[in-house]
Amino acid sequence: MTASKHWTRRDFLRFAAATALGSSSRNAALGFLAGTQAAVSEAAALDYRALVCIFLAGGNDGFNVLIPGDAARYKTYQTARTNLAFSSDQLLNLNASLSGEYAVSNRAPGLQSLYNAGRLAFMANVGTLVQPTTRQDYLNGVHLPPQLFSHNDQSDQGMSCQLDALEKIGWGGKIADLLTGLNGKSPLPMGVSIAGNNLFQVGASTVPYYMSSGGVDSFYVTSGGDLDLRTKAFKKMLDISLTKGRLLEKELAKSVKGSMNLSQTMITALQNGTSGTGIWSGSSLSQQLQMVAKLISVRDTFGIKRQVFYVVQGGYDTHDDQINRHGSLISDLSQALASFHGAMDELGVGNDVTSFTLSDFGRTLTSNGDGTDHAWGNVQIVAGGSVLGGNVYGKFPDQRIDGPDDSGYGRLIPTTSIEQYGATLARWFGATDTELDVIFPHLNRFDTTDLGFMV
């Protein structure tokens, strides 16, 4: 292939910037301008730990994932959920726990298996909160997160825990800001997204590495090989910028070259990666988690001790056809989690990797006839060998419509903050109490900052 255009330095800079953005972001390419140094925890990073955020996009109906198993609460559940309620023969019982009797849908045997093995826990009635909030607070309009029941607003607030900030950064990104020093000089960022851009992983001074479930793409500008005139021209301009360019040009060229080298290292490493010998369903979520497993299997290539991954399962905005749609989604989630944690055990890091769910918000207990509408409090799932599983944490809500936990229309008021949930995970990951106060700005307003579900 011959080059059909005379390349100028302006063309090079424009193309180089786009190339750098292919595997990082504008902040990564120009991150040297930030002028700030992330604080580093004093904890020694002699072990490996990873957090895997599974975002259930659209607003998961968590109260049709975890169902009360005792007769009295199950009857209340049936009354509230009407045509959406599972019959008793559609449920799989969970081992009785200190928090009571519960069940899951018969579409979710993987969740049942992990829970009964003590490797999965449920968080009851979690949501965005400014501070502990009662029904009367809600009715009086005080202490409320802004823009409740809005997909974008509640997703952003749950990912950042910055309820009023104009420019938010994610709590996964804050973790990376504070603990990135534990990874030494590793070229791979602490955060890796298999699902594109997301607020959760973006920090003040750190951004994730973006890739797909299919791996890392080669840079287009060098895809023609070393003999391609376009490739030769690009590499020559890159070398000129590195040696003779001005400060901004040098730093941009340095970022581009680093991105190119990292991508090639990643491509080579993944050729030797493994996701174990177990069976994966082939769904989008399964493929994303399979790639996470492969990345974890080659972690030593990058000399990395802490990682935060992000994957997405979409389709949870179930205003209609909920019984079929939600059932299929939970079946997929159940299978994918079981396969993933089976792979972690096979790779010898079962106790070192913790997966957890987030979602926009919960959904109404009440039915709209064929589905549910946007709500607030929700059930979240956390799994892994370091999870004190086989239990339900937090206060399971009173599911009576217009009851003490209902803000109206079956929209449950959270009794546990996402910040408490996140802080428990971050503490296990290595964050100190001081760092937790930085990551979660409202945490000190709650009596309990460690929910006790991690070893």
Side-chain angles (χ1 to χ4, degrees), residues 279-293:
I279 298 173
W280 297 81
S281 71
S283 70
S284 173
L285 177 61
S286 181
Q287 289 175 6
Q288 291 174 69
L289 288 175
Q290 196 168 4
M291 178 52 68
V292 172

Side-chain angles (χ1 to χ4, degrees), residues 131-446:
Q131 63 185 53
T133 302
T134 65
R135 175 179 166 88
Q136 195 59 49
D137 289 333
Y138 177 84
L139 295 176
N140 291 338
V142 298
H143 312 318
L144 302 181
Q147 303 300 321
L148 282 172
F149 320 130
S150 159
H151 282 294
N152 291 340
D153 294 284
Q154 291 305 296
S155 294
D156 286 356
Q157 291 172 35
M159 288 186 182
S160 70
C161 297
Q162 294 175 298
L163 306 186
D164 299 314
L166 293 178
E167 186 173 354
K168 297 177 174 64
I169 58 176
W171 57 268
K174 286 184 181 180
I175 289 173
D177 285 344
L178 294 169
L179 301 183
T180 192
L182 297 180
N183 285 339
K185 296 182 179 180
S186 174
L188 183 64
M190 183 179 292
V192 178
S193 173
I194 316 296
N197 293 331
N198 67 90
L199 173 61
F200 173 73
Q201 290 180 305
V202 175
S205 59
T206 58
V207 291
Y209 183 85
Y210 298 107
M211 57 185 293
S212 73
S213 58
V216 180
D217 293 330
S218 299
F219 284 102
Y220 171 75
V221 72
T222 60
S223 62
D226 289 339
L227 298 180
D228 179 40
L229 294 180
R230 177 188 58 195
T231 301
K232 288 182 178 180
F234 183 82
K235 288 186 174 181
K236 184 175 181 179
M237 287 190 174
L238 189 64
D239 289 339
I240 292 172
S241 294
L242 285 168
T243 56
K244 299 180 180 181
R246 294 183 179 182
L247 176 61
L248 180 61
E249 188 177 348
K250 282 184 177 180
E251 290 296 338
L252 180 56
K254 182 179 178 181
S255 176
V256 171
K257 189 169 185 178
S259 294
M260 292 171 66
N261 291 340
L262 177 56
S263 292
Q264 188 55 55
T265 301
M266 183 73 78
I267 290 170
T268 302
L270 288 175
Q271 291 173 350
N272 298 315
T274 178
S275 57
T277 59
I279 298 173
W280 297 81
S281 71
S283 70
S284 173
L285 177 61
S286 181
Q287 289 175 6
Q288 291 174 69
L289 288 175
Q290 196 168 4
M291 178 52 68
V292 172
K294 284 185 179 180
L295 288 166
I296 290 173
S297 78
V298 299
R299 64 194 180 280
D300 290 343
T301 300
F302 303 96
I304 201 160
K305 296 293 185 181
R306 293 290 187 277
Q307 292 187 281
V308 179
F309 296 96
Y310 179 83
V311 302
V312 170
Q313 183 191 30
Y316 281 93
D317 197 17
T318 50
H319 290 282
D320 54 64
D321 195 26
Q322 172 162 320
I323 292 176
N324 293 320
R325 291 171 58 195
H326 191 257
S328 295
L329 290 167
I330 294 304
S331 175
D332 178 21
L333 176 62
S334 173
Q335 293 178 58
L337 274 176
S339 297
F340 177 72
H341 286 287
M344 294 302 97
D345 290 341
E346 189 174 343
L347 293 174
V349 290
N351 294 337
D352 306 320
V353 179
T354 300
S355 67
F356 65 97
T357 61
L358 286 177
S359 194
D360 312 32
F361 37 55
R363 304 195 74 83
T364 54
L365 291 177
T366 54
S367 169
N368 63 20
D370 196 27
T372 53
D373 299 316
H374 303 175
W376 193 0
N378 205 352
V379 171
Q380 303 296 352
I381 302 168
V382 58
S386 288
V387 175
L388 293 172
N391 205 357
V392 176
Y393 292 84
K395 179 180 178 292
F396 194 84
D398 185 326
Q399 294 187 319
R400 287 177 294 171
I401 303 303
D402 293 326
D405 293 326
D406 185 9
S407 68
Y409 307 103
R411 292 180 167 128
L412 294 174
I413 301 167
T415 45
T416 297
S417 168
I418 284 180
E419 298 191 41
Q420 295 172 280
Y421 176 50
T424 306
L425 292 165
R427 181 178 281 109
W428 170 82
F429 195 67
T432 65
D433 287 344
T434 300
E435 289 164 339
L436 291 178
D437 287 336
V438 175
I439 300 167
F440 303 102
H442 308 97
L443 185 62
N444 61 7
R445 300 180 183 180
F446 298 89

